[in-house]
Amino acid sequence: MKITYQEEKRIFKLDTAHTSYIIGITDDEGFIGHVYYGAYIRDEDVTYLLRTGERPLVPSVNNRERGAFYDTFPCEYPGNGLGDYRESAVAILDQNGNTAVQPLYTGYRICDGKPEIPGLPATFGTEKECQTLEITAEDAVCGLAFSLYYTVFADVDVITRSVRIRNTGKAPVYLTKVMSAALDMDAEDYQMLTLCGSWARERVAERRPIGHGRQSVGSTRGESSHQEHPFLALVNKHATEDAGSVYGFHFVYSGNFLAQVEKNQYDSLRVVMGIHPQDFKWKLNPNETFCAPEAVLTYSGSGLGTMTRNLHDLYRKHLIRSPYRNQKRPVLINNWEATYFDFDTKKLLAIAREAKRCGIEMLVMDDGWFGRRNNDDCSLGDWTVNEEKLPGGLKHLVDEVNRIGLKFGIWFEPEMISPDSELYRAHPDWAIALPEREPVRSRNQYVLDLSRPEVVDYVYEAVASVLRSANVEYVKWDMNRQLTDLGSVYLGAERQGELLHRYVLAVYELQERLTREFPNLLLENCSGGGARFDPGMLYYSPQIWCSDDTDAVERLRIQEGTAMIYPLSAMGAHVSDCPNHITGRVTPFATRGNVALAGTFGYELDITKISEEERAQIPEQVALYHKYHDLIREGDYYRIASYSVNREYDCWGVVAKDRSEALYTCVQVTARPNVHSRKLRLAGLSPEKRYLVEESGTTAYGDTLMEAGILMPELRGDYASALIHLKEV
Ligand code: GLA
């Protein structure tokens, strides 16, 4: 049994292979206490960790200090306004204008498998793979019933949490904050690890001490964002890749979020994760239920690497639904950096022909094929083919590309509307805007009000009718600005605070419809590079464009941060032309290929214009992709050396689940004169297996390769790189 309940002690115990999570219910008023989360422990009574025997004692024994009890008790789902001054998990506004709420235990249910969360992406598993605990609670005064869900994925050491709140009263209640998870624990010298960045510099790892008070990352931009990421980890101060305690928290959601750690007066920590309360206010009528998105929790007692691999396995097995999940993706060539807006059928076909000769399998036509879109000032919303650029229309182009022997993919930015578009001229009220204010422009565009069902239907038909008109096998779904001017003429005054969440729900609905109507479509999400790279989008698309920055050196950092929590198979990565369009850096073509191999792999350059010498390398790189992609997509990922830390070189590896094969990639970012060769201690191998190092022809046992290590192949020059392939012999 993964989940057990000890009736006499009122204790729930949730076990994964290596972790335990324990919840205790106080027997006086039914406070739902958090007892323990960490390494697996036996079924012994550890409820002393609730410290209810210490002052201030439970309120039934010491009611005069009820407030102090509220402020110290470790809670599973802390309420608001009654004396717990730490961050609450839930807050409301009732008919009287009051904000207090306190969920108290009423019962539980345990079931095999996992219920879906209506309208939201979430992890899934069969009745054999997972088990779910639902703890029910209520606040009888404000008429709210709570369901706290915990699903145990034992094989990947993950527990997921989500919450539903139902209005059981007679009057509407406004929810002003609904966190998906809260976790109280002792401080024990943890640091906070987050992923932060900006456009072209997404998801760079940052580790900092936790001080008293609240420290958080979040987004109030309407999407998960380039800037901060819906993830945080508590990392023991001395934790390394393979030692130390690590708690990872990751949010399966694509909109505003809050991920916060708070250290209180007693040096306890409270972590909360959920939809950001800023600009959130949800009207809940009697009998209505609000479903909060899912939060993923994982604990590793063996360092950051285990956290990474737990999340990779969870997402590969229990989140990505696409049929491409366990398949090779077609090697694509995208025309964005090749042509920007300046292309036509002739140019695209020339690229396709050359691409075919080099072994590339799909052409993706990026931004600029519709309306009058010759620059980024107009036409978003007008999803009709520009026949001046594509004479004969889309079908003609796609048929020609197919005849050359390539698949065809296309770019959309469905959630947007240009002020200079036919759509905006017909429906100016379809843009998100505030009364009496001209909406703020970003990339000269507005955002469609997806809280309106007719707008959602328009968007869906606009995309689907293009896909129905030709043999389109891939869509890049882009979103190139963040939300401002939070106003909807559709939602009444009392529901304006629902706009941001309704927007995200509508994006999910659109992608759900799309993947249902076109089940074999390869969908790649994107948002000005990687601003909506999150587990929510991963549920719909097996890959997400990682960053607009395709510079191989910058990508080391971006891909390392991304791969800290996402499988390599999800990271959109392309070889582009040099000098790199964003950084101006020139790196060897081979290194650009080796770095892109750690992701979905493709090209983003004008293949008809690059040098003959570089073009000649493409068939070799494509061959490497075919040779290694099964391993890279399905294997276990290990960070060996980080350029972000040592500022000189980088090394990562992917090892087959059965340890029979491994591929390590080394990049020497800066060459240094007169130094000893670097030693790499490989990781993830089986100590007892003997491996052939393909490049040198030598053999060695796994323990030798991991403990004694190997010497890094000699590399000449900045940005040089090498692959090391091991096979069991
Ligand atoms: C975004 C994407 C790019 C490209 C452009 C097109 O920036 O991240 O890859 O598609 O939009 O406008």
Side-chain angles (χ1 to χ4, degrees):
M1 281 280 267
K2 298 168 195 131
I3 301 176
T4 51
Y5 179 56
Q6 289 182 48
E7 183 85 52
E8 61 303 348
K9 300 213 167 85
R10 310 235 283 175
I11 296 172
F12 295 94
K13 185 158 184 274
L14 290 62
D15 287 328
T16 69
H18 306 101
T19 71
S20 296
Y21 189 114
I22 303 175
I23 300 163
I25 312 296
T26 65
D27 46 16
D28 50 346
E29 294 168 53
F31 297 107
I32 308 168
H34 177 72
V35 180
Y36 172 81
Y37 183 34
Y40 174 83
I41 55 173
R42 265 163 247 277
D43 296 348
E44 284 181 306
D45 185 0
V46 290
T47 45
Y48 52 83
L49 293 173
L50 290 176
R51 296 183 171 94
T52 46
E54 293 173 20
R55 294 200 75 79
L57 305 171
V58 285
S60 57
V61 178
N62 183 18
N63 194 37
R64 78 186 286 280
E65 298 303 346
R66 179 178 284 270
F69 170 80
Y70 285 159
D71 206 19
T72 52
F73 185 66
C75 280
E76 277 300 319
Y77 201 68
N80 191 58
L82 296 173
D84 185 347
Y85 294 98
R86 297 164 292 178
E87 187 79 37
S88 63
V90 55
I92 63 163
L93 193 61
D94 69 15
Q95 287 299 99
N96 305 316
N98 299 323
T99 60
V101 55
Q102 172 75 292
L104 295 173
Y105 179 79
T106 54
Y108 76 97
R109 277 183 280 267
I110 294 173
C111 69
D112 291 334
K114 181 170 189 283
E116 288 183 5
I117 308 181
L120 284 166
T123 56
F124 51 80
T126 63
E127 293 183 354
K128 288 212 175 78
E129 290 169 332
C130 57
Q131 209 176 28
T132 300
L133 165 68
E134 177 189 355
I135 292 186
T136 55
E138 68 170 5
D139 182 326
V141 178
C142 51
L144 291 176
F146 296 81
S147 287
L148 312 181
Y149 288 92
Y150 300 79
T151 296
V152 177
F153 288 96
D155 60 333
V156 293
D157 285 325
V158 163
I159 290 171
T160 66
R161 292 184 56 177
S162 67
V163 174
R164 291 183 204 184
I165 305 179
R166 192 164 72 85
N167 184 346
T168 55
K170 295 203 164 50
V173 175
Y174 292 93
L175 302 173
T176 55
K177 185 204 278 181
V178 183
M179 290 292 118
S180 295
L183 191 77
D184 283 345
M185 55 198 281
D186 293 314
E188 293 181 19
D189 239 349
Y190 286 108
Q191 298 186 333
M192 177 179 177
L193 173 75
T194 54
L195 298 172
C196 298
S198 184
W199 173 77
R201 304 189 260 110
E202 294 90 339
R203 289 175 297 284
V204 175
E206 196 172 280
R207 207 158 144 171
R208 57 183 125 150
I210 298 171
H212 285 96
R214 295 169 190 189
Q215 39 252 283
S216 65
V217 287
S219 166
T220 54
R221 297 166 184 268
E223 62 173 349
S224 44
S225 92
H226 300 101
Q227 286 76 8
E228 292 165 29
H229 199 71
F231 160 81
L232 84 83
L234 299 183
V235 180
N236 189 274
K237 199 162 95 185
H238 304 292
T240 59
E241 279 304 307
D242 49 18
S245 307
V246 179
Y247 293 85
F249 303 83
H250 204 179
F251 195 32
V252 187
Y253 189 62
S254 310
N256 285 2
F257 73 90
L258 174 69
Q260 180 176 284
V261 188
E262 175 181 6
K263 188 173 183 178
N264 79 349
Q265 55 187 329
Y266 303 111
D267 293 342
S268 304
L269 298 183
R270 171 168 292 173
V271 177
V272 295
M273 177 166 268
I275 294 177
H276 204 297
Q278 185 174 310
D279 298 316
F280 174 82
K281 188 173 161 208
W282 192 272
K283 185 179 181 192
L284 200 64
N285 282 320
N287 278 321
E288 281 179 357
T289 300
F290 180 82
C291 300
E294 179 172 45
V296 168
L297 280 64
T298 188
Y299 171 78
S300 155
S302 47
L304 277 165
T306 302
M307 174 196 77
T308 292
R309 289 182 290 278
N310 289 349
L311 293 175
H312 286 196
D313 285 344
L314 177 79
Y315 297 148
R316 288 185 294 196
K317 282 195 204 164
H318 303 293
L319 182 70
I320 299 172
R321 298 181 302 171
S322 163
Y324 277 98
R325 174 170 80 164
N326 304 108
Q327 280 176 34
K328 259 190 212 155
R329 320 287 158 81
V331 176
L332 65 81
I333 184 158
N334 176 302
N335 76 311
W336 178 239
E337 286 195 25
T339 65
Y340 296 102
F341 295 100
D342 182 19
F343 64 86
D344 56 17
T345 295
K346 209 168 138 214
K347 221 181 226 181
L348 293 177
L349 291 179
I351 292 176
R353 273 184 216 104
E354 195 54 56
K356 175 67 187 169
R357 274 195 281 276
C358 293
I360 292 171
E361 298 157 321
M362 181 162 74
L363 174 77
V364 175
M365 178 172 67
D366 211 279
D367 193 357
W369 56 267
F370 51 92
R372 294 178 295 102
R373 184 105 167 151
N374 294 317
N375 55 46
D376 56 11
D377 279 331
C378 70
S379 299
L380 293 170
D382 300 343
W383 299 107
T384 45
V385 173
N386 178 339
E387 295 239 6
E388 275 171 34
K389 284 178 165 175
L390 309 182
L394 184 68
K395 180 150 176 22
H396 169 69
L397 170 65
V398 178
D399 287 348
E400 287 303 308
V401 171
N402 287 168
R403 199 162 298 137
I404 290 168
L406 261 60
K407 295 173 190 286
F408 184 86
I410 197 167
W411 178 97
F412 281 99
E413 198 181 351
E415 301 155 60
M416 298 293 149
I417 180 166
S418 301
D420 180 7
S421 65
E422 299 307 322
L423 186 66
Y424 189 72
R425 283 183 276 277
H427 299 286
D429 58 334
W430 280 16
I432 291 178
L434 291 163
E436 312 292 329
R437 284 183 198 273
E438 191 200 332
V440 170
R441 293 178 187 217
S442 177
R443 211 191 190 200
N444 216 2
Q445 64 198 54
Y446 299 151
V447 183
L448 282 167
D449 180 359
L450 297 183
S451 71
R452 291 175 78 149
E454 78 223 89
V455 178
V456 174
D457 287 341
Y458 170 84
V459 167
Y460 184 72
E461 275 311 309
V463 176
S465 59
V466 171
L467 300 192
R468 288 181 207 123
S469 74
N471 183 26
V472 178
E473 297 181 69
Y474 160 108
V475 163
K476 177 174 170 187
W477 180 301
D478 208 342
M479 193 262 194
N480 276 324
R481 66 155 290 179
Q482 303 178 326
L483 276 62
T484 58
D485 302 87
L486 302 177
S488 161
V489 289
Y490 173 75
L491 299 170
E494 51 183 13
R495 291 196 182 270
Q496 292 298 322
E498 299 178 14
L499 178 59
L500 285 166
H501 184 54
R502 285 187 184 276
Y503 181 88
V504 177
L505 291 177
V507 172
Y508 292 152
E509 184 198 322
L510 283 166
Q511 298 209 350
E512 181 71 40
R513 282 164 73 173
L514 195 71
T515 48
R516 207 175 298 147
E517 182 176 343
F518 304 97
N520 295 318
L521 182 75
L522 174 55
L523 184 61
E524 174 156 355
N525 269 290
C526 172
S527 178
R532 212 165 50 183
F533 200 125
D534 58 61
M537 301 318 283
L538 213 51
Y539 181 73
Y540 302 97
S541 66
Q543 59 194 59
I544 305 176
W545 184 228
C546 215
S547 176
D548 281 344
D549 194 338
T550 50
D551 175 279
V553 174
E554 288 299 303
R555 276 280 176 149
L556 295 178
R557 225 182 332 212
I558 296 168
Q559 293 182 186
E560 180 183 73
T562 306
M564 181 171 279
I565 50 179
Y566 296 100
L568 305 190
S569 62
M571 299 196 304
H574 297 167
V575 176
S576 64
D577 201 8
C578 278
N580 182 270
H581 291 197
I582 288 180
T583 61
R585 187 179 281 127
V586 177
T587 53
F589 200 77
T591 294
R592 284 176 256 157
N594 288 342
V595 173
L597 265 186
T600 56
F601 197 73
Y603 292 85
E604 179 136 353
L605 40 72
D606 190 341
I607 197 168
T608 65
K609 293 209 178 121
I610 57 172
S611 71
E612 196 45 57
E613 192 197 334
E614 290 189 340
R615 199 166 31 237
Q617 294 182 51
I618 295 181
E620 295 163 23
Q621 291 180 338
V622 171
L624 286 178
Y625 169 81
H626 288 298
K627 181 172 176 192
Y628 294 129
H629 195 67
D630 288 348
L631 172 63
I632 290 168
R633 195 185 59 242
E634 313 278 341
D636 285 343
Y637 166 79
Y638 289 84
R639 286 175 290 273
I640 314 275
S642 170
Y643 160 63
S644 308
V645 176
N646 64 41
R647 310 304 301 163
E648 283 184 23
Y649 69 106
D650 211 89
C651 179
W652 67 90
V654 186
V655 183
K657 288 274 177 200
D658 67 0
R659 318 274 131 206
S660 64
E661 188 185 4
L663 179 71
Y664 298 90
T665 309
C666 326
V667 181
Q668 166 173 281
V669 180
T670 41
R672 289 181 65 211
N674 189 25
V675 284
H676 275 185
S677 55
R678 296 181 180 103
K679 188 173 86 172
L680 297 172
R681 287 180 59 193
L682 303 183
L685 301 171
S686 161
E688 300 90 41
K689 287 192 198 296
R690 202 167 170 79
Y691 295 91
L692 168 72
V693 183
E694 196 186 332
E695 290 69 23
S696 63
T698 54
T699 61
Y701 279 106
D703 54 5
T704 307
L705 296 165
M706 294 191 291
E707 300 303 331
I710 60 164
L711 299 179
M712 192 161 132
E714 198 186 332
L715 295 170
R716 262 198 85 67
D718 291 348
Y719 320 130
S721 63
L723 300 176
I724 304 168
H725 182 221
L726 307 189
K727 266 256 158 328
E728 183 186 356
V729 287

